Amino acid sequence: MTSTLLKMSHICKSYPGVNAVDDVSIDLYAGEVLGLMGENGAGKSTLIKMLAGAEKIDSGEIYIDEKKVDINSPKASQDNGVSVIHQELITMDTLSVAENIFVGQLPVKKATKLIDWKAARKKSAEALALLHSEINPKSIVSSLSIYEKQIVEVAKAIHKNAKVVVMDEPTAALSEKDSKALFTVIKSLKKQGVGIIYISHRIEEVFQISDRITVMRDGKFIGTKPTKGTDQKEIISMMIGRELNQFFPEIKSEKKGVMMKVSDLNINGIIENISFEVKKGEILGLFGLVGSGCLNIARALIGADDIDQGEFHINGKKTSIKNPKNALKNKIGFIPIDRKNEGLTLDFSVKQNLTLQCIDQLGSGFIIQKSIENSIAEKWVKKLDIKTPNIEVKVKNLSGGNQQKIVLGKTLETNPEILVIVEPTRGIDVGTKMDIYKMLENLCKNGVAIVLVSTDVPEILSISNRVLVISNGKIRKEFKKGEANQQELLHEASLN
Amino acid sequence: MWLKKLIYSDDIVGALGIFLVLLVLFFSIRTPHFFSLINFYSIIGNIPAMAILCLGLTFVVLVGDLDLSLGSILGITAILAVFFFKVMHFPLWLNLISCVIIGGFFGAFNGAVVTKIGINSIITTLGTMALIRGLTYWIAMDVDAMQVGRITDQAFLNFGRYYFPEKSRLIPITLVYIVILYGASALFLNHTSFGRQIYAVGSNEATARLAGINVKRVKFVCFIIAGMLSAFGGLVLVAQLGLGEAYTGQNMILEVITAVVLGGVLLTGGKGRLTGVIIAVLILGVIRNGMVHLEQVTDISVYWRDAAKGVVLLLAIGLYSFRKSFNAKRLRTRQ
Amino acid sequence: MKIIGNKITTNMSLFAFLGFLIIVFSFTSEHFLGYYNIISLLTNISYSGIAAIVLTLVMISRGLDISIGGVIGLTTVVVATLYSQPDPFPVWLILIIGLSTGTLVGLLNGWCIAVMDMDPIITTLGAMAITRGLAYVISDAQSILMFEETTDFISNGTIFYIPMPIILFLITALIFSIILHKSKFGRTIYAIGANEASAKLSGISVKPVKIILYVLSGLAASVSGIILIGQTSVGMPQHGLGTELEVITAVLLGGTALSGGKGTIYGTIAGVLILGVLFNGLTISGVRYVHLQIFQGILLLVAVATYEIKTRNEVAS
């Protein structure tokens, strides 16, 4: 029997009110690629954070090379041979490649104690060569492409003699060519006996590169299957575990007519030739994996990012959406992906957040009329059933679900005719999810055109009237309601 | 096109060098006496204290912080040097060492407040700037013997005024100080482990910490170095002037920051070359000197130099911001 | 006020500290509580207090203005120079030009910071150098005497026995208190300082707001400058040296954080009063003027350290 390289045994971690990781056990062998899959909120990130020493384990053990290890800090994790390559790269951009690889451990000449740059460059080149890379160790990292930066991170891991390398959505920002190159690199690592945990939503890729696949759902370990012995359908059902249409309201619209038309939206190098229409009372889903360009499209729709080309027609009239204020004037509302940093002002109270987008309406003159402010706030607390002691508490003290409701209330106060929502129910409890879906249903009845960006497959398939699959910055395919199943959706989204 | 390359290229030192040459040419052409050996010695004579302070500030900025108290540390050192000389009758070597140690102590105080208590370095050094200046005035005014702060010891004066070799008076000792200090610092920053840790912390503090670098210690040391260098600068200045007053160095910090920013040291940390800093110091020195000459031949008041320095600072930081936004656009990612 | 949660407690402790200082100084000097001293104290406070009030708004929006002192100096020089011309403009015009000085500097600052995205500290530092330098150029480093009725009244006159500067300070405090705490504009200032990204996405026009704040700051500095001319009867380029430090210290003392989103006018008033009482009390008790800086520095460090530790405790709980 082969010994395990890494064993995480009965790991538990909970935060107030939620079991993030619930008795999860996984194992990893040397020289294998283990795909770790699960929806957002399944607990993958939390599990990896504990492995990386960034979060404390509530209970459970970690074994490396069959020996129990105590990982209580990032340094301890690294000292035990674990290296995590995050989605958001943490390179030192102002320094050279060699310095990034050797950070904190630059080789010194014995005699003078001065840095042996020659040795550093040579060893860097060796590590890079193992990765089939010709990056010059002298180059400053800020001048490298995203792929090259990732290679630098991998080289750093190799140099530290990492036994376990975790890659979190590594191909999210890569082109097809670079992704293929990365796979070659991963195969090299395998040959050297490194064990790799590969986290990705791109089911196609996971099936290409992994030897086994572990699935998590709702914080629990669902199962591990050898890649060759399973198929996408099985993995997806393990991931999602519920039937479509079980929880979702039937969204029907009565109004007709095109609310907004997007033509030839282009951001150089990011999105290309995006054209679509949204009708009144319709929910148009935009589905794409991390790095597909969906978020860029959403941000362009509300004027948060500059576009290089493209036209918008709202209600038949050509409109330019230059900035969020402009968008609001054109009755476009936005629920951003990051409610804590973009949707809310955490230090503001419930009432101040709810009125953040309609400050101008809080009275006819110069002064904010408290009575109007209070009534608007209370209206939405009631309408959306926001659970809060009162409207004066700071929103940072509320739960995620209630925070999301506040973002919703804030946006709805401006009576948008078009609503762009991104990941509306991420990290939110089931009860609140229902409330949000009911709200969307009401909006549709009243003729609001909704653009829904979501990576929650059942959600987007059930609620949307149509789904556009976005990949590599382009629209790949359009599905009408009922035309696609989960597997087809994920399949299309992973293609280049 | 070359202009574009100049603006967008990462290496600002070349551009600075060209700018310096252009400045020298401008003043040499426009005024009769600028381009002379005597004048060049004059320029070099005016920059040592400034150059040494800039070196100190560079250490702090490289690690991602700011230190506004350097001028005050220079000031208190000036007063203490006189005090040690006149009242305590220290021999020169003791005087020098004590002052530098005291400078290091003030730097350590700054470092401790920033790293241990966690107060923003701008506010901290704003406070110590006032505090130390106040102490300076106190010592200067309340100790009777300090009333006339003159240094008369020849050895001390030589510390700042000596020339090599004695007969032909070619190389001022202050130039030697600058070369040694900058050279040693360059060696330290570029070729030692700790020096590279400074750059690492400035570049990405979180990553540096993850890599096991003791961020607090690195920052603490940089503040101490800045304090010690400021003290040394104060000693040089006192030796040059022959006296130390309570207001010595009071308005220097603005010019020091200007030179460091102009010299290409990134305010956010992790990037900067000493060559750029010294050229920037020379540029400011040339402007100051050149304006005096210019006043003699034109009606342009010499006081334009302060305004000119402000403009230079704004242009430097403006250019930096412009390049930053240009790069940000280039580095957009697909999400 | 609610934004800052228990800032009310902080303000209370500030005023308690103020009370403490007053009590101490009433013992150390018999003149401290005297009518003339109080008037003198309040008048001095008003001079820098006006700039402090407006700086509070700037700092709440996560900005900083170090050019205040330079603007003061430049304003005094401009006004005095214009007045000393052979056939001078009418006084009201001169004063308007004086106020425009600060306004223009503020516009420059605002544009660089908001539109060009330049660092506020360095920008206003540069503006300080430019204004100070221009003041020296225009005045040729000379002091320019100015004896004139209107400025004399602004600085030394009284309405109902209250000196004009104090009245101006109170008016400024009142106006900006309403603006900051009760108006729509004030809400956007807090929003921008607390979370600029969120504010932008909520449709708040960040750039114009920031520019307006810096313009107001420059204008306030000019007002302070005009008061100074009347008080000293002279316009000189050295006016205002060190004022920026005083003003920033007062605002920080009052609980405004450098990181933005927090702060109140009441806190700033408390900070201005504390600094003023401290300086006045020490001076009248025999401490020399130049030593005041020591206390200023200590006070700043202690106050900010206290706020820092307090915030950290809040986050931990």
Side-chain angles (χ1 to χ4, degrees), chain B residues 81-104:
Chain B
V82 174
F83 178 74
F84 290 149
F85 170 71
K86 295 200 86 190
V87 177
M88 311 276 287
H89 302 295
F90 278 3
L92 179 63
W93 64 268
L94 189 59
N95 201 338
L96 296 179
I97 292 184
S98 313
C99 285
V100 171
I101 291 181
I102 293 179

CSV table of all heavy atoms in Angstrom, one decimal, chain B residues 81-104:
chain,number,residue,atom,x,y,z
B,81,ALA,N,25.5,68.9,19.8
B,81,ALA,CA,27.0,68.9,19.5
B,81,ALA,C,27.6,70.1,20.1
B,81,ALA,O,28.7,70.0,20.7
B,81,ALA,CB,27.1,69.0,17.9
B,82,VAL,N,26.9,71.2,20.0
B,82,VAL,CA,27.5,72.5,20.7
B,82,VAL,C,27.5,72.3,22.2
B,82,VAL,O,28.5,72.7,22.8
B,82,VAL,CB,26.6,73.7,20.3
B,82,VAL,CG1,27.0,74.9,21.0
B,82,VAL,CG2,26.6,73.9,18.8
B,83,PHE,N,26.4,71.7,22.7
B,83,PHE,CA,26.3,71.5,24.1
B,83,PHE,C,27.5,70.6,24.6
B,83,PHE,O,28.2,71.0,25.6
B,83,PHE,CB,25.0,70.9,24.5
B,83,PHE,CG,24.8,70.6,25.9
B,83,PHE,CD1,24.5,71.6,26.8
B,83,PHE,CD2,24.9,69.2,26.4
B,83,PHE,CE1,24.3,71.3,28.2
B,83,PHE,CE2,24.7,69.0,27.7
B,83,PHE,CZ,24.4,70.0,28.6
B,84,PHE,N,27.7,69.5,23.9
B,84,PHE,CA,28.8,68.6,24.3
B,84,PHE,C,30.1,69.3,24.2
B,84,PHE,O,31.0,69.0,25.0
B,84,PHE,CB,28.8,67.3,23.5
B,84,PHE,CG,27.6,66.4,23.8
B,84,PHE,CD1,27.1,65.6,22.7
B,84,PHE,CD2,27.0,66.4,25.0
B,84,PHE,CE1,26.0,64.8,23.0
B,84,PHE,CE2,26.0,65.5,25.3
B,84,PHE,CZ,25.4,64.7,24.3
B,85,PHE,N,30.2,70.2,23.3
B,85,PHE,CA,31.5,70.8,23.1
B,85,PHE,C,31.7,71.9,24.2
B,85,PHE,O,32.8,71.9,24.8
B,85,PHE,CB,31.5,71.5,21.7
B,85,PHE,CG,32.7,72.4,21.5
B,85,PHE,CD1,34.0,71.9,21.3
B,85,PHE,CD2,32.5,73.8,21.4
B,85,PHE,CE1,35.0,72.7,21.1
B,85,PHE,CE2,33.5,74.6,21.2
B,85,PHE,CZ,34.8,74.1,21.0
B,86,LYS,N,30.7,72.8,24.3
B,86,LYS,CA,31.0,73.9,25.2
B,86,LYS,C,30.8,73.6,26.7
B,86,LYS,O,31.5,74.1,27.5
B,86,LYS,CB,30.0,75.0,24.8
B,86,LYS,CG,30.2,75.6,23.4
B,86,LYS,CD,29.5,77.0,23.3
B,86,LYS,CE,30.5,78.0,23.8
B,86,LYS,NZ,29.9,79.3,23.9
B,87,VAL,N,29.8,72.8,26.9
B,87,VAL,CA,29.4,72.6,28.4
B,87,VAL,C,30.1,71.4,28.9
B,87,VAL,O,30.6,71.4,30.0
B,87,VAL,CB,27.9,72.5,28.5
B,87,VAL,CG1,27.6,72.2,30.0
B,87,VAL,CG2,27.2,73.8,28.0
B,88,MET,N,30.1,70.3,28.1
B,88,MET,CA,30.6,69.1,28.7
B,88,MET,C,32.1,68.9,28.3
B,88,MET,O,32.7,67.9,28.7
B,88,MET,CB,29.8,67.9,28.1
B,88,MET,CG,28.3,68.1,28.3
B,88,MET,SD,27.7,67.5,29.9
B,88,MET,CE,27.9,65.8,29.8
B,89,HIS,N,32.5,69.7,27.3
B,89,HIS,CA,33.9,69.6,26.9
B,89,HIS,C,34.3,68.2,26.4
B,89,HIS,O,35.3,67.7,26.8
B,89,HIS,CB,34.9,70.1,28.0
B,89,HIS,CG,34.5,71.5,28.5
B,89,HIS,ND1,34.7,72.5,27.6
B,89,HIS,CD2,34.0,72.0,29.6
B,89,HIS,CE1,34.3,73.6,28.2
B,89,HIS,NE2,33.9,73.3,29.5
B,90,PHE,N,33.4,67.6,25.7
B,90,PHE,CA,33.8,66.3,25.1
B,90,PHE,C,34.9,66.4,24.1
B,90,PHE,O,34.9,67.4,23.3
B,90,PHE,CB,32.5,65.7,24.4
B,90,PHE,CG,31.5,65.0,25.3
B,90,PHE,CD1,31.7,65.0,26.7
B,90,PHE,CD2,30.4,64.4,24.8
B,90,PHE,CE1,30.8,64.4,27.5
B,90,PHE,CE2,29.5,63.8,25.6
B,90,PHE,CZ,29.7,63.8,27.0
B,91,PRO,N,35.7,65.4,24.0
B,91,PRO,CA,36.6,65.3,22.8
B,91,PRO,C,35.8,65.1,21.6
B,91,PRO,O,34.7,64.5,21.7
B,91,PRO,CB,37.5,64.2,23.2
B,91,PRO,CG,36.8,63.4,24.2
B,91,PRO,CD,36.0,64.3,25.0
B,92,LEU,N,36.3,65.3,20.5
B,92,LEU,CA,35.5,65.2,19.2
B,92,LEU,C,34.9,63.9,19.0
B,92,LEU,O,33.7,63.8,18.8
B,92,LEU,CB,36.4,65.6,18.0
B,92,LEU,CG,35.7,65.5,16.7
B,92,LEU,CD1,34.6,66.5,16.6
B,92,LEU,CD2,36.7,65.7,15.5
B,93,TRP,N,35.7,62.8,19.2
B,93,TRP,CA,35.2,61.5,18.9
B,93,TRP,C,34.0,61.2,19.8
B,93,TRP,O,33.0,60.6,19.4
B,93,TRP,CB,36.3,60.4,19.1
B,93,TRP,CG,36.9,60.3,20.5
B,93,TRP,CD1,37.9,61.0,21.0
B,93,TRP,CD2,36.4,59.5,21.5
B,93,TRP,NE1,38.1,60.6,22.3
B,93,TRP,CE2,37.2,59.7,22.6
B,93,TRP,CE3,35.3,58.6,21.6
B,93,TRP,CZ2,37.0,59.0,23.8
B,93,TRP,CZ3,35.1,57.9,22.8
B,93,TRP,CH2,35.9,58.2,23.9
B,94,LEU,N,34.1,61.6,21.1
B,94,LEU,CA,33.0,61.3,22.0
B,94,LEU,C,31.7,62.0,21.6
B,94,LEU,O,30.6,61.5,21.7
B,94,LEU,CB,33.4,61.6,23.4
B,94,LEU,CG,32.4,61.2,24.5
B,94,LEU,CD1,32.2,59.7,24.4
B,94,LEU,CD2,32.9,61.6,25.9
B,95,ASN,N,32.0,63.3,21.2
B,95,ASN,CA,30.9,64.1,20.7
B,95,ASN,C,30.1,63.5,19.6
B,95,ASN,O,28.9,63.3,19.6
B,95,ASN,CB,31.5,65.5,20.3
B,95,ASN,CG,30.4,66.6,20.3
B,95,ASN,OD1,29.2,66.3,20.2
B,95,ASN,ND2,30.8,67.8,20.4
B,96,LEU,N,30.9,63.1,18.6
B,96,LEU,CA,30.4,62.5,17.4
B,96,LEU,C,29.6,61.2,17.7
B,96,LEU,O,28.4,61.0,17.3
B,96,LEU,CB,31.4,62.1,16.4
B,96,LEU,CG,32.2,63.3,15.8
B,96,LEU,CD1,33.3,62.8,14.8
B,96,LEU,CD2,31.3,64.3,15.1
B,97,ILE,N,30.2,60.4,18.5
B,97,ILE,CA,29.5,59.1,18.8
B,97,ILE,C,28.3,59.3,19.6
B,97,ILE,O,27.2,58.7,19.3
B,97,ILE,CB,30.5,58.2,19.6
B,97,ILE,CG1,31.6,57.7,18.6
B,97,ILE,CG2,29.8,56.9,20.1
B,97,ILE,CD1,32.6,56.7,19.2
B,98,SER,N,28.3,60.2,20.6
B,98,SER,CA,27.2,60.4,21.4
B,98,SER,C,26.0,60.9,20.6
B,98,SER,O,24.9,60.5,20.7
B,98,SER,CB,27.5,61.4,22.5
B,98,SER,OG,28.7,61.1,23.2
B,99,CYS,N,26.3,61.9,19.7
B,99,CYS,CA,25.2,62.5,18.9
B,99,CYS,C,24.6,61.4,18.0
B,99,CYS,O,23.4,61.4,17.9
B,99,CYS,CB,25.8,63.6,18.1
B,99,CYS,SG,26.1,65.1,19.0
B,100,VAL,N,25.4,60.6,17.4
B,100,VAL,CA,24.9,59.6,16.5
B,100,VAL,C,24.0,58.6,17.3
B,100,VAL,O,22.9,58.2,16.8
B,100,VAL,CB,26.0,58.9,15.7
B,100,VAL,CG1,25.4,57.7,14.9
B,100,VAL,CG2,26.7,59.8,14.7
B,101,ILE,N,24.5,58.2,18.4
B,101,ILE,CA,23.7,57.3,19.2
B,101,ILE,C,22.4,57.9,19.6
B,101,ILE,O,21.3,57.3,19.6
B,101,ILE,CB,24.5,56.9,20.5
B,101,ILE,CG1,25.7,56.0,20.1
B,101,ILE,CG2,23.6,56.1,21.5
B,101,ILE,CD1,26.5,55.5,21.2
B,102,ILE,N,22.4,59.2,20.0
B,102,ILE,CA,21.2,59.9,20.4
B,102,ILE,C,20.2,59.9,19.2
B,102,ILE,O,19.0,59.7,19.3
B,102,ILE,CB,21.4,61.3,21.0
B,102,ILE,CG1,22.2,61.1,22.3
B,102,ILE,CG2,20.2,62.0,21.2
B,102,ILE,CD1,22.5,62.4,22.9
B,103,GLY,N,20.8,60.2,18.0
B,103,GLY,CA,20.0,60.2,16.8
B,103,GLY,C,19.3,58.8,16.6
B,103,GLY,O,18.1,58.7,16.3
B,104,GLY,N,20.1,57.8,16.9
B,104,GLY,CA,19.6,56.5,16.8
B,104,GLY,C,18.5,56.2,17.8
B,104,GLY,O,17.5,55.5,17.5
